[in-house]
Structure formats: structure tokens, C-alpha cells
Amino acid sequence: QVQLVESGGGLVQPGGSLRLSCAASGRDFSTSAMGWYRQAPGKQRELVARMISRGSTNYADSVKGRFTISRDKTRNTVYLEMNNLKPEDTAVYYCHAGLVPPGYWGQGTQVTVSS
């Protein structure tokens, strides 16, 4: 059974930083895509950042220059380093794995940016 477990969310002040982690088990995703999506209240889930096996990355325009995605393929883990966080980054962040839809989803971790 495939499981994706996120960690690292929380409450942070504007301008602060957080690092999200997602550990996958039950399948080897080293040759597949892993990434992060987010969903704010009343909005659709959107791509934040995604990395395929060869290191190619995609970022949402709203997070370019502030967020960095990385992977540890030996540990089947993906990270999201988030810097200079803004209130509009507040959302539930979901880990996703797989190249072919629907792929696999984690349970989500809440990120709240507020003073």
C-alpha cells in the first residue's frame, strides 16, 4: 500500500520560513515525479512545485524565487523549502507522487502565515 506522509507545517509570521517533508512508502518513486500542491479555503487545489526524476522542476509563478523543491531519492522523500512566506501562502499543502493521473496523495499539512 502506497503512503505519503507530510510533515513540517505550522504557524509562521510573514517573512518567515518553513520546510515541508514528504516521505513515500510502498513504492519506489525515484524514477517518477513528486511534488507539492496546495489548497486554500474556497479555492481549487493548485500546483506549487514539482520535480521529475531527471531533476526538471516546475514552480507556480507566485512562489518562484521563494520556494525550493528538492528530493532525496534514496529515501523516497521530497522537500519544500519555503522562504519569505506571505499570508496568501496560507493553505493545506499536499504531497503528490506519480507521473500518470491520478497518482498518489498525502493527507495534507496546514501552513498558516499570520502575524
Side-chain angles (χ1 to χ4, degrees):
Q1 182 180 359
V2 175
Q3 282 191 318
L4 303 178
V5 179
E6 301 105 332
S7 60
L11 173 65
V12 64
Q13 292 185 343
S17 299
L18 283 175
R19 188 189 195 215
L20 304 182
S21 300
C22 171
S25 61
R27 178 175 172 174
D28 179 9
F29 289 103
S30 61
T31 59
S32 185
M34 294 187 76
W36 293 91
Y37 290 71
R38 68 186 180 187
Q39 188 167 16
K43 295 188 177 181
Q44 289 188 332
R45 191 173 297 188
E46 62 175 0
L47 173 69
V48 177
R50 185 171 181 254
M51 178 182 283
I52 64 173
S53 62
R54 295 183 180 180
S56 175
T57 57
N58 298 103
Y59 290 94
D61 287 342
S62 59
V63 307
K64 285 181 180 177
R66 300 188 298 122
F67 291 11
T68 303
I69 188 171
S70 61
R71 292 179 64 171
D72 183 342
K73 294 179 182 179
T74 62
R75 297 184 177 183
N76 226 15
T77 301
V78 64
Y79 305 96
L80 186 67
E81 186 76 33
M82 304 185 294
N83 297 314
N84 190 22
L85 282 160
K86 303 176 180 181
E88 51 264 41
D89 295 318
T90 295
V92 178
Y93 284 69
Y94 296 91
C95 177
H96 180 268
L99 280 170
V100 178
Y104 302 91
W105 292 94
Q107 81 286 353
T109 184
Q110 176 70 45
V111 171
T112 302
V113 185
S114 175
S115 55

